[in-house]
Amino acid sequence: MHHEDHPRPLIGITSYQDEAAWAVWRQRASLVPQTYVDAVSRAGGTPVLLPPQPGGAGRLLDVLDGLVLAGGPDIDPARYGAAADPRTGPPHPARDDWELTLLRGALDRDLPLLGVCRGMQLLNVALGGTLVQHLPDRSHQIVPAGFVRHRVDVAGGSRAGAVLGPSAEVSCYHHQAVDRLGDGLHATAHSADGTVEALELPGRRFALAVQWHPETDPDDPRLFHALVTASHRETAR
């Protein structure tokens, strides 16, 4: 077992509020794909789901050892001062509010964090950056719920590079992308078409976000291992 001499770090995972079906029920639910839970657990963390709610973020962040900002729907363009493109999805104000509060609190505490897809875009927006609201059709999202495999090139000397090496094969599913970078952020991976694929905040214990979906690739647990390793209180605080 990973780090059996240390308690397993508590890793928060932001969650969806959506319509879901199970057994005979179909109703609003707080949920997250099991792939995130499994990825954190396999990497040696204890997953804690964080559904959108009106308060309590500070208390949670004081207890958590790390944070995963999960994928999900488009961020409301008003959050970065833009009008909505017709292809941008409907806003989810409760989720945007909750996750921006968690993210800002995590940055204030230097809590290790890993952003995934929407999570990377949220990190950029939280620090004053903007997004491209629609990439060219059939580039990073080809069929509904079908991941696109492609290669990303990773910058040497970056946190992403230390974890992944100079390039990685990844699974993408997104139609928006980072445009202007938020304050202090470095773009440390790109795909061949120039799309930003990773962002990080230098000088932090661990503040890394990727545009792809590492949780869907159990054969490559490196990003989740890196997050969990950074989240061990004994070594990091």
Side-chain angles (χ1 to χ4, degrees):
M1 182 142 122
H2 191 64
H3 283 295
E4 60 235 323
D5 49 340
H6 297 299
R8 291 168 73 92
L10 295 177
I11 307 294
I13 305 173
T14 61
S15 308
Y16 295 70
Q17 278 177 335
D18 218 333
E19 188 87 3
W22 64 96
V24 298
W25 306 104
R26 182 173 181 85
Q27 61 189 72
R28 295 274 298 160
S30 292
L31 56 95
V32 75
Q34 184 65 27
T35 46
Y36 287 95
V37 175
D38 291 344
V40 166
S41 193
R42 268 198 307 267
T46 297
V48 180
L49 300 194
L50 306 174
Q53 52 195 284
R59 176 89 192 280
L60 278 168
L61 292 166
D62 288 342
V63 174
L64 292 172
D65 301 305
L67 179 65
V68 175
L69 293 160
D74 295 337
I75 297 159
D76 183 351
R79 305 272 175 172
Y80 47 95
D85 182 287
R87 294 163 297 192
T88 293
H92 290 72
R95 186 165 178 189
D96 288 354
D97 282 344
W98 172 241
E99 292 185 359
L100 285 165
T101 302
L102 283 173
L103 175 54
R104 290 178 178 131
L107 292 173
D108 288 345
R109 291 165 174 77
D110 198 14
L111 192 72
L113 68 91
L114 174 64
V116 173
C117 199
R118 167 192 163 89
M120 182 179 95
Q121 296 171 3
L122 197 80
L123 176 63
N124 196 51
V125 168
L127 292 173
T130 62
L131 303 180
V132 176
Q133 289 191 55
H134 194 73
L135 290 169
D137 286 335
R138 304 187 65 76
S139 57
H140 292 248
Q141 179 176 307
I142 295 175
V143 294
F147 289 99
V148 181
R149 291 289 289 180
H150 69 187
R151 196 185 78 145
V152 298
D153 293 309
V154 186
S158 66
R159 196 62 174 272
V163 175
L164 299 170
S167 72
E169 280 284 319
V170 302
S171 295
C172 272
Y173 186 77
H174 62 104
H175 81 114
Q176 299 193 332
V178 162
D179 189 8
R180 191 184 73 239
L181 289 186
D183 296 339
L185 288 169
H186 290 196
T188 56
H190 293 83
S191 49
D193 64 5
T195 300
V196 174
E197 294 279 355
L199 289 178
E200 53 194 79
L201 260 181
R204 299 294 181 130
R205 284 166 58 198
F206 191 86
L208 174 61
V210 297
Q211 186 58 77
W212 67 89
H213 282 272
E215 80 287 355
T216 63
D217 193 356
D219 295 332
D220 187 357
R222 291 175 294 174
L223 283 167
F224 285 94
H225 270 296
L227 172 69
V228 169
T229 299
S231 299
H232 277 284
R233 288 176 184 250
E234 291 84 352
T235 56
R237 289 189 183 175

